[in-house]
């Protein structure tokens, strides 16, 4: 029975490292850069002026005044070099005041946040050295996984280097002087609206989806809407000069979003022993990436590490069970299992003795386990999978990240 594992989220190949270093801007060619829209805006008073087409809302387009507000980054903007002396820049999807920005500030309180239009732009900002790290939501305790980011992890070769768990306390925000009875609509990110369902049902006004909670607050404020409210954070209220009409409006009082911190280079766990060789395959073209032979740095404590792997399995009874057994046999705790369709090869055909050929969806399995790649038990578990790879055409990939900050 064949196992085929393809997903690799972490170490970069020696080939790739040399390619990367060749293309990395040297200090000498780094020009100091002021990226106007990266600086944080604290007040709505200065929001006036030109119009910018913005978020879709069920086919309708919002227009917002943005002249002096920081502009979200788009792919077209990603053409500037970084000043090496600047403080750490963290890209995120959304407007200032969004929960993703809160997560970035929780991880790096003195960082400069880099708002981006799309998740893809936040990845690219790091790849193009416009930001040092990206902070992206991966899972919410009420709403579940954010699948888009699972898919993007495979499309981009960034490394998971941290995790931020952020309590998301949703608030109802409106312009000063506006009373709750005056509201005719509520705007927010679909996830924020969905997890505030009980409160919003009682409120009984139509809900409108926008790209993120920060944008909802900014839109209400900059358009002077007296019949609309935003579901967003207390910090968004401060940023855009709104009043908090109600706090903690989410259905479940513990509403937590888990964010990943991504960087160009991996974190290597501290250990006295050299890191064992690992085969890495790029998920789409199965190109062999890297066989590391030593630990380049010793910065982080082993006990706070998790490792993420992703792989595909051929069909057959108990295959996933057998793959996961390599962890169970070594008392390694699994903290998350997620499956996603194989977009490049959605269906596979198998022989079925009863019905002839059967077609099944093919999946990628993402697994987080509670051990560091520097620990012998993790090395042995992954080595065990590697043996399966040799015997059953199985390969794996891992990366480590610190839990929370
Ligand atoms: O809209 C925001 O504020 C975001 O940061 C996005 C996002 C999400 O993508 O799930 C993040 C956390 C909240 O749970 C709601 C929305």
């Amino acid at each position: 029975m064949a196992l085929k594992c393809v997903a690799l989220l972490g170490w970069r190949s020696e080939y790739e490292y040399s390619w990367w270093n060749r293309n990395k801007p040297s200090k000498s060619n780094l020009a100091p850069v002021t990226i106007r829209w990266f600086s944080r805006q604290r007040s709505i008073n200065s929001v006036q002026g030109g119009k910018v087409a913005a978020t879709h809302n069920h086919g309708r387009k919002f227009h917002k005044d943005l002249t002096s507000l920081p502009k979200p980054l788009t792919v077209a903007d990603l053409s500037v070099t970084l000043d090496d002396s600047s403080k750490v820049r963290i890209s995120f999807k959304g407007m200032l005041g969004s929960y993703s920005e809160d997560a970035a500030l929780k991880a790096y309180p003195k960082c400069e946040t880099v708002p981006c239009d799309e998740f893809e732009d936040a990845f690219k900002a790091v790849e193009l050295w416009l930001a040092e790290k990206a902070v992206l939501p991966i899972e919410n305790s009420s709403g579940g996984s954010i699948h888009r980011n699972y898919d993007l992890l495979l499309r981009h070769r960034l490394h998971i280097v941290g995790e931020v768990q952020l309590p998301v306390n949703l608030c109802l925000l409106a312009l000063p002087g506006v009373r709750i009875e005056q509201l005719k609509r509520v705007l927010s990110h679909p996830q924020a609206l969905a997890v505030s369902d009980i409160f919003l049902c009682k409120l009984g006004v139509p809900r409108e989806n926008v790209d993120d909670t920060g944008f909802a607050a900014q839109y209400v404020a900059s358009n002077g809407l007296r019949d609309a409210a935003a579901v967003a954070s207390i910090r968004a209220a401060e940023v855009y000069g709104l009043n908090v009409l109600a706090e903690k409006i989410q259905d479940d009082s513990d509403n937590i979003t888990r964010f990943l911190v991504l960087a160009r280079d991996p974190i290597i766990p501290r250990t006295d022993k050299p890191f064992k060789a690992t085969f890495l395959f790029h998920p789409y073209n199965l190109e062999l990436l890297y066989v590391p032979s030593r630990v380049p740095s010793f910065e982080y404590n082993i006990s706070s590490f998790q490792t993420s792997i992703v792989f595909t399995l051929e069909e057959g009874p108990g295959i996933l069970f057998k793959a996961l057994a390599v962890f169970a046999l070594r008392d390694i705790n699994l903290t998350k299992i997620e499956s996603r369709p194989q977009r490049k090869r959605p269906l596979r055909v198998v022989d079925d003795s009863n019905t002839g050929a059967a077609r099944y969806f093919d999946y990628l399995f993402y697994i987080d386990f509670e051990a560091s790649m520097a620990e012998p038990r993790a090395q042995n578990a992954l080595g065990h999978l590697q043996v399966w790879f040799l015997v059953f055409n199985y390969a794996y990939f891992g990366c480590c990240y610190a839990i929370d900050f």
Side-chain angles (χ1 to χ4, degrees), residues 127 180 216 284 374:
E127 287 170 334
I180 209 160
Y284 288 150

Side-chain angles (χ1 to χ4, degrees), residues 92-95 97-103 119 136-141 143-144 146 149 166 168 170 188-193 195 210-216 231-233 255-259:
F92 67 99
K93 177 195 177 275
M95 293 281 287
S98 71
Y99 287 99
S100 294
E101 194 192 29
D102 276 355
F119 287 132
L136 297 159
I138 196 79
E139 184 176 18
N140 173 265
S141 58
I146 292 144
N149 282 334
L166 187 80
V168 174
L170 296 162
S188 197
H189 185 280
Q191 163 89 357
L193 294 172
V195 301
V210 295
D211 266 5
D212 62 276
T213 59
F215 174 69
V231 173
S233 68
N255 177 42
I256 296 169
T257 299
R258 196 162 68 86
F259 294 81

Side-chain angles (χ1 to χ4, degrees), residues 175-252:
L175 281 174
V178 170
R179 281 172 292 111
I180 209 160
E181 309 80 58
Q182 291 174 255
L183 298 177
K184 301 239 169 351
R185 56 184 175 137
V186 173
L187 285 69
S188 197
H189 185 280
Q191 163 89 357
L193 294 172
V195 301
S196 315
D197 192 50
I198 297 171
F199 178 92
L200 294 176
C201 278
K202 277 195 203 140
L203 191 63
V205 298
R207 308 169 195 190
E208 295 182 10
N209 291 340
V210 295
D211 266 5
D212 62 276
T213 59
F215 174 69
Q218 187 266 340
Y219 185 76
V220 168
S222 64
N223 290 289
L225 302 178
R226 301 196 67 78
D227 64 346
V231 173
S233 68
I234 288 205
R235 204 171 58 81
E238 288 163 15
V239 170
Y240 298 107
L242 295 174
N243 264 3
V244 179
L245 293 180
E247 273 185 61
K248 284 203 169 196
I249 63 169
Q250 64 267 17
D251 298 353
D252 302 311

Side-chain angles (χ1 to χ4, degrees), residues 41-49 65-69:
Q41 178 79 28
R42 290 264 161 223
S43 157
I44 196 64
N45 299 333
S46 54
V47 181
Q48 284 159 7
D65 293 316
L66 280 181
T67 306
S68 55
L69 266 187

Side-chain angles (χ1 to χ4, degrees), residues 305-307 331-335 368-372 375 377:
F305 270 81
Q306 288 208 7
T307 297
D331 274 340
I332 296 175
N333 188 32
L334 301 183
T335 52
D368 295 346
F369 62 86
E370 220 175 4
S372 155
E375 290 178 71
R377 64 189 182 132

